[in-house]
Amino acid sequence: MRSTVNLILMGPPGAGKGTQATRLCAELKVPKISTGEILRENVRDSTKLGHAAQGHMDAGQLVPDHLIVEMAMERLDRPDTHSGFVLDGFPRTTIQAQSLADRLGEQGRAVSGALLIEVSDATIVERVAGRRVCAQCGHSYHVDYDPPRNPNRCDDDDALLIQRDDDKAEVIRRRLTVYHEQTSPLISYYGERNLLHRVDGTLSPSQVYRQIETRLAALPS
Ligand code: AP5
């Protein structure tokens, strides 16, 4: 597999972006940049950004572009991203995608590829209902597909596993609508730039990962 990539993982909520990003980053030894995780940390720490974001997140809406772009750019400007990165959950609007391209371009960098993990809405609703996350470290599990060793306890720190507030049935339906309305235009955006690579996200996590490896091997160096 290539050792340096500036990669975007796209797909609907619950498609498996975080699951695949974690494995990919361990393999490539590059940072995982998850805007959802950064936002949840800010909410937990009661920062100004956390206060501004929480209402949008709880309602299943996107956090406004100006807040997200500033947060993502601050992270991408750090030196650990210079040998590559995996973006999980960013960009999510055309404004965010254009801001990313502009900033990377100013720095002589560019997106290497955008991997779209495709999963139907019905599968998403079922998957997200079974997701449990560690209240302390954020590690994600699934009650059937990726259970913890001890029920309701995190394998890493033994903290309690909880359901995310935005995983409740009515909120996930809103998140899917928001995805189709505001994020799916990025499929054409990256397709037109020959950066889009599709992955079947309905297979097992390992099979999905193998597809990602194949797509990465085919990226121009
Ligand atoms: P965020 O945390 O990014 O949520 P998301 O994109 O909706 O994605 P999820 O974390 O829900 O799912 P995932 O695709 O990572 O799936 P996972 O691997 O966990 O964002 C949360 C909120 O923050 C947004 O709603 C928004 O308000 C805000 N936000 C974040 N970024 C933003 C941005 N750029 N702009 C504006 N607002 C932003 O897997 C899901 C479950 O399925 C897990 O239980 C997992 O174990 C299981 N699973 C994974 N893969 C498989 C598989 N292949 N088969 C079976 N089960 C699987």
Side-chain angles (χ1 to χ4, degrees), residues 39-40 42-43 47-59 61-64 67-68 71:
L39 288 168
R40 281 187 288 279
N42 275 275
V43 170
T47 67
K48 201 171 151 201
L49 173 61
H51 285 300
Q54 184 164 20
H56 301 283
M57 296 170 75
D58 288 348
Q61 301 284 0
L62 294 185
V63 174
L67 293 175
I68 290 292
M71 181 186 93

Side-chain angles (χ1 to χ4, degrees), residues 3-220:
S3 58
T4 303
V5 283
N6 296 332
L7 203 62
I8 296 169
L9 286 190
M10 292 171 54
K17 301 181 297 293
T19 301
Q20 299 298 330
T22 300
R23 188 163 170 186
L24 196 53
C25 289
E27 176 73 27
L28 297 175
K29 299 187 175 49
V30 297
K32 175 177 93 158
I33 302 176
S34 160
T35 43
E37 275 176 19
I38 300 173
L39 288 168
R40 281 187 288 279
E41 275 166 28
N42 275 275
V43 170
R44 272 199 297 274
D45 296 345
S46 295
T47 67
K48 201 171 151 201
L49 173 61
H51 285 300
Q54 184 164 20
H56 301 283
M57 296 170 75
D58 288 348
Q61 301 284 0
L62 294 185
V63 174
D65 283 332
H66 70 279
L67 293 175
I68 290 292
V69 167
E70 188 183 336
M71 181 186 93
M73 296 312 153
E74 185 278 321
R75 181 64 189 88
L76 280 164
D77 282 348
R78 293 194 214 158
D80 66 338
T81 66
H82 289 167
S83 53
F85 54 80
V86 176
L87 285 169
D88 161 15
F90 178 87
R92 258 172 151 107
T93 63
T94 310
I95 289 175
Q96 293 179 19
Q98 199 51 55
S99 303
L100 174 66
D102 291 347
R103 176 62 69 94
L104 292 178
E106 284 162 19
Q107 299 172 340
R109 300 193 282 173
V111 170
S112 317
L115 292 172
L116 174 65
I117 304 181
E118 298 183 288
V119 181
S120 72
D121 287 8
T123 304
I124 294 291
V125 171
E126 181 241 346
R127 263 193 206 174
V128 167
R131 172 163 51 188
R132 299 291 179 273
V133 293
C134 175
Q136 202 144 293
C137 72
H139 187 138
S140 181
Y141 299 87
H142 191 281
V143 291
D144 298 317
Y145 308 124
D146 182 20
R149 282 193 296 273
N150 297 315
N152 270 330
R153 292 280 166 190
C154 180
D155 292 351
D156 298 334
D157 54 23
D158 204 39
L160 197 62
L161 302 184
I162 56 166
Q163 188 171 34
R164 267 168 51 175
D165 284 343
D166 62 350
D167 278 353
K168 294 188 179 104
E170 67 280 11
V171 184
I172 189 63
R173 277 194 283 277
R174 157 81 4 216
R175 287 165 63 199
L176 280 166
T177 303
V178 166
Y179 173 78
H180 292 301
E181 289 175 358
Q182 298 185 51
T183 305
S184 64
L186 293 186
I187 298 171
S188 310
Y189 178 95
Y190 286 113
E192 285 159 10
R193 288 158 180 79
N194 290 324
L195 289 169
L196 188 76
H197 304 274
R198 293 174 187 267
V199 171
D200 179 357
T202 61
L203 304 173
S204 72
S206 294
Q207 288 170 312
V208 174
Y209 188 73
R210 278 199 287 281
Q211 290 180 71
I212 290 177
E213 285 183 311
T214 306
R215 305 288 180 278
L216 288 192
L219 289 182

